[in-house]
Amino acid sequence: MNKLESMAVFVRVVERGSFSAVAEELRLSGTMVGLHIKALEEHLGVRLLNRTTRRQSLTDFGLEYYQSCQRILADIKDSESLALALHKNPRGKLRVGCPVSFGVHALSPVTAQFLTTWPDVTMDLVLSDKSMDMAEEGLDVMIKVGELEHVNTLVARPLAAYRSIVCASPAYIERAGKPMTPEELSQHRCLGFAHPVAGSEWTLQREGKPIKLPVNIAMAINNGEALRSAALNGLGIIMQPEVLLADDLQQGKLIVLMSEFQPLAKPVHILTFADRQQLPKIRFYVDFLLQHFRRSLCLSNP
């Protein structure tokens, strides 16, 4: 006999006052109900119930044992409820990777809202403009910018496409003039994102089609914030994410150049492992990001 099951049967017998009523409730035979009680009494070496043909009553020890069984079964039920809650509500540590500019200006504020909503979750936010391997970095979630490659074991959820813009400070424009066509960029000082595939070309669009253009890179930096600072100081023209530059553009510290020839937007995806995506901490976080990033945002374009 399963001891916990026998204890549960014993409690119900005491509460219902009848073997037959408990047998009907638990869909057992009357004999089986009796065997559960007998198994407990033999295990304990003491009688729990005084039984006659007409009635039954608890022995003195039976009353104490009944109260103990009630507490034990209630504790087990509470523990099972807590375990069930763990599967419903997110908790534990999440490790998330994403590009630097997006992480600082877009993901961090939304993540702060998520952590306020779900305080039992903690976060490691890994910001890098280098390519990251989710398994090697121990990531639960990753924001991937650009075309997807080798995602056979991953689940990719699309976010809205992100745009970059070409701009410069009023001081630079006053000193060097404003380029009107992409071809004129080769005659200006440009500030490039230091990236293996960036080189000395920028990809813009003309009538919706991408065109690659040679640019004069006066300085290359591997950090969007540093490029922004250089542009604000009038050093040259930059092509960086609008999410990074939005306040500067609104305040007139930077001016959009050649608005009809802006870079093509890049696809952005949230990546998770297929066998872990239903964990509450991952599922809730991904859903939270999807809800907050429905509108078009911006992301770095090397």
Side-chain angles (χ1 to χ4, degrees):
M1 291 287 181
N2 181 289
K3 189 183 298 183
L4 285 176
E5 185 179 355
S6 295
M7 291 169 66
V9 170
F10 169 63
V11 167
R12 293 306 293 150
V13 166
V14 174
E15 294 172 346
R16 295 295 302 272
S18 165
F19 278 38
S20 59
V22 173
E24 183 177 353
E25 175 186 323
L26 300 180
R27 297 184 178 181
L28 300 173
S29 67
T31 300
M32 182 58 68
V33 172
L35 288 174
H36 276 292
I37 304 302
K38 182 179 180 181
L40 285 177
E41 291 178 332
E42 290 180 350
H43 173 74
L44 295 168
V46 63
R47 183 178 291 277
L48 298 173
L49 293 170
N50 293 313
R51 297 184 292 275
T52 67
T53 56
R54 293 186 176 183
R55 60 187 298 271
Q56 65 184 36
S57 62
L58 284 167
T59 64
D60 290 343
F61 178 80
L63 176 59
E64 293 183 10
Y65 188 69
Y66 162 70
Q67 294 170 341
S68 295
C69 287
Q70 278 188 312
R71 290 193 297 270
I72 291 170
L73 294 173
D75 287 343
I76 291 173
K77 185 176 181 180
D78 288 344
S79 297
E80 290 175 343
S81 296
L82 179 60
L84 182 61
L86 289 176
H87 292 288
K88 290 182 177 180
N89 296 329
R91 63 176 57 218
K93 178 174 285 188
L94 266 176
R95 188 169 169 85
V96 180
C98 67
V100 176
S101 293
F102 177 63
V104 171
H105 295 277
L107 190 63
S108 291
V110 174
T111 297
Q113 295 176 39
F114 176 80
L115 294 177
T116 299
T117 304
W118 302 107
D120 290 330
V121 178
T122 58
M123 184 78 65
D124 282 347
L125 196 55
V126 183
L127 306 183
S128 176
D129 289 316
K130 296 181 180 179
S131 177
M132 288 188 286
D133 183 283
M134 289 189 65
E136 290 182 2
E137 296 287 343
L139 300 177
D140 298 298
V141 179
M142 185 169 72
I143 306 297
K144 171 66 177 176
V145 185
E147 300 299 328
L148 295 177
E149 297 179 357
H150 311 300
V151 293
N152 293 339
T153 62
L154 303 175
V155 175
R157 303 285 296 276
L159 292 177
Y162 286 73
R163 301 184 299 115
S164 290
I165 59 171
V166 178
C167 61
S169 70
Y172 176 83
I173 293 172
E174 183 178 352
R175 183 177 72 251
K178 180 185 293 187
M180 304 303 295
T181 66
E183 286 75 15
E184 294 179 33
L185 286 173
S186 61
Q187 303 167 23
H188 285 263
R189 293 171 62 87
C190 295
L191 312 176
F193 192 92
H195 191 281
V197 301
S200 58
E201 289 184 333
W202 282 358
T203 301
L204 303 180
Q205 59 176 320
R206 176 179 283 140
E207 297 179 352
K209 296 181 180 180
I211 54 172
K212 290 187 176 182
L213 300 152
V215 291
N216 175 28
I217 301 294
M219 180 170 65
I221 310 177
N222 66 346
N223 180 271
E225 288 285 357
L227 282 170
R228 168 181 171 268
S229 178
L232 288 171
N233 283 284
L235 188 58
I237 298 172
I238 60 172
M239 181 172 67
Q240 279 294 289
E242 190 176 358
V243 70
L244 171 63
L245 309 174
D247 290 341
D248 300 322
L249 294 167
Q250 185 175 7
Q251 297 170 22
K253 295 179 181 180
L254 293 174
I255 306 298
V256 177
L257 303 174
M258 305 176 301
S259 58
E260 67 272 31
F261 300 108
Q262 291 304 306
L264 289 170
K266 283 190 172 183
V268 181
H269 292 84
I270 304 174
L271 301 181
T272 57
F273 288 105
D275 60 348
R276 305 188 72 233
Q277 63 174 327
Q278 292 304 318
L279 288 176
K281 63 179 181 179
I282 295 176
R283 176 167 52 85
F284 275 64
Y285 184 63
V286 169
D287 289 345
F288 201 85
L289 296 185
L290 291 171
Q291 181 179 358
H292 281 73
F293 291 139
R294 285 173 179 171
R295 293 177 298 176
S296 178
L297 295 175
C298 321
L299 194 62
S300 180
N301 188 6

